[in-house]
Amino acid sequence: MNRQEVVLLARYVRAVCPQQKIDEYTADAWHDFLGPYSLNEARAAVHRHVTLGNAFISIGEICAQIRRARNDRLARHTEAEPPYGDFGDASYKAALHDERRAIADGRTEPVVVPALPPGEKVAEYEGRGRALLNSVGRESISRRPELAAPCPHCDAAAGRPCTNGRGDRRVDAHPSRIEASHDINAGKAPAGREDIEREIERRRQAAAAVAARLTEPPEPDDDFDPVHRTKAAAKKAGVDEETAAS
C-alpha cells in the first residue's frame, strides 16, 4: 500500500468513524504499518471492526484484523502437492510461496478439500466384522483367549474386558471367566453362574473340612513318652532285652 492509498484509507475511516480524530500526519504514520498490506485488505478490516459495534479503530486493530483474515484464508486452503519427480527444488518452493502469498492477500480464493460424506450410525456397524469373517469361513478369534466367554462375575460380554466394582476396566480377567473361556476354547460347554456357585460352595466346604481337621486337638496316646519322644512299650521292651543279656 502506497501513501496515496493510505490517504484514501484515512478518509474512509473518517467517513465511517466521524468521532475519530484524524489529522494531516495520520496517513504518514499509518503508512509505516500498512505498507505490506493492500488497500482492499485494510478497508475490509475496517468494515469488519465497525460492524462489530466499534465507533473507533486504531492502526493496531486494523493490522490485527488483516492478520486474522489472512490466517483464516490460509487455514481453509489446501496446498498443491509437488509434481511427480519433484525433489523439493527451489522452483516448487517458490511456487508454493507465491501461492500462499496470493491466498493470504485475497488475490486467490482458497481451495478447500470437500468434506467426507456423513458416516452411518455406529449401531449399524455392530457385528459386521464378525459377519464378514463368517462369510469367508473364518471364525472371529479374539486376541485374548481368556475373553472368549462372558464373565459370570461382572457380566462382561464376550470379547470385552472385565470390570471391577467401580466400573473400571481390569487388566486381568476374573478367574471364573478364565475357566469358562478355557472350556469354550477346548470345545466344551462353558459353566453357567449356577454351576460356578455350586463349585465355589463345594470348595468352601472342602476347605472348611480341612481346616477343622487341622484345628482338632490330638487324641491322647498312653504309650507316648513326651520326654524321650518314643513309645513307652518300645522303651520297656528294650529294657527287658538288656536285662536278659546281662
Side-chain angles (χ1 to χ4, degrees):
M1 187 184 306
N2 54 36
R3 295 184 181 275
Q4 288 75 16
E5 291 175 337
V6 176
V7 172
L8 295 177
L9 179 65
R11 292 177 178 176
Y12 178 73
V13 173
R14 179 66 181 271
V16 297
C17 301
Q19 297 87 356
Q20 184 164 342
K21 183 179 179 180
I22 295 178
D23 54 21
E24 64 273 15
Y25 303 106
T26 301
D28 294 335
W30 281 13
H31 181 265
D32 295 340
F33 301 94
L34 298 177
Y37 308 121
S38 64
L39 178 60
N40 294 331
E41 286 183 296
R43 287 174 61 95
V46 174
H47 182 271
R48 284 192 300 270
H49 186 78
V50 173
T51 53
L52 293 177
N54 300 298
F56 300 91
I57 185 170
S58 65
I59 185 62
E61 292 170 337
I62 296 176
C63 296
Q65 287 286 351
I66 294 176
R67 289 194 299 269
R68 189 177 297 111
R70 288 191 169 198
N71 293 334
D72 178 69
R73 286 193 293 266
L74 290 175
R76 291 184 289 110
H77 176 64
T78 302
E79 297 178 350
E81 297 182 357
Y84 178 77
D86 184 85
F87 296 100
D89 55 357
S91 60
Y92 172 70
K93 293 181 179 179
L96 186 61
H97 180 74
D98 294 340
E99 178 185 1
R100 293 176 179 174
R101 181 177 294 275
I103 295 296
D105 295 344
R107 293 180 284 108
T108 305
E109 290 297 325
V111 179
V112 182
V113 176
L116 296 175
E120 301 178 9
K121 296 181 179 180
V122 178
E124 299 180 4
Y125 285 92
E126 293 182 357
R128 293 188 60 183
R130 184 176 302 174
L132 179 62
L133 291 175
N134 294 334
S135 64
V136 296
R138 296 185 59 184
E139 297 181 357
S140 55
I141 302 176
S142 175
R143 295 184 178 180
R144 299 182 61 181
E146 69 273 12
L147 305 182
C151 184
H153 184 79
C154 63
D155 296 329
R160 304 295 300 175
C162 292
T163 57
N164 54 20
R166 297 188 301 270
D168 301 330
R169 292 186 177 184
R170 286 171 49 96
V171 178
D172 301 328
H174 288 103
S176 57
R177 186 180 191 180
I178 295 177
E179 295 182 2
S181 299
H182 179 73
D183 294 339
I184 288 182
N185 295 329
K188 302 178 183 179
R193 181 180 292 272
E194 296 180 357
D195 299 334
I196 295 176
E197 291 179 354
R198 286 196 297 267
E199 178 63 20
I200 292 176
E201 185 63 25
R202 186 191 65 81
R203 295 184 181 183
R204 287 177 179 174
Q205 294 178 0
V210 173
R213 288 197 302 268
L214 294 176
T215 56
E216 289 179 355
E219 297 180 358
D221 189 356
D222 297 337
D223 295 337
F224 185 74
D225 186 359
V227 177
H228 298 87
R229 311 291 297 177
T230 57
K231 294 288 185 178
K235 181 178 179 181
K236 183 178 180 181
V239 174
D240 294 341
E241 291 178 359
E242 292 178 0
T243 305
S246 59

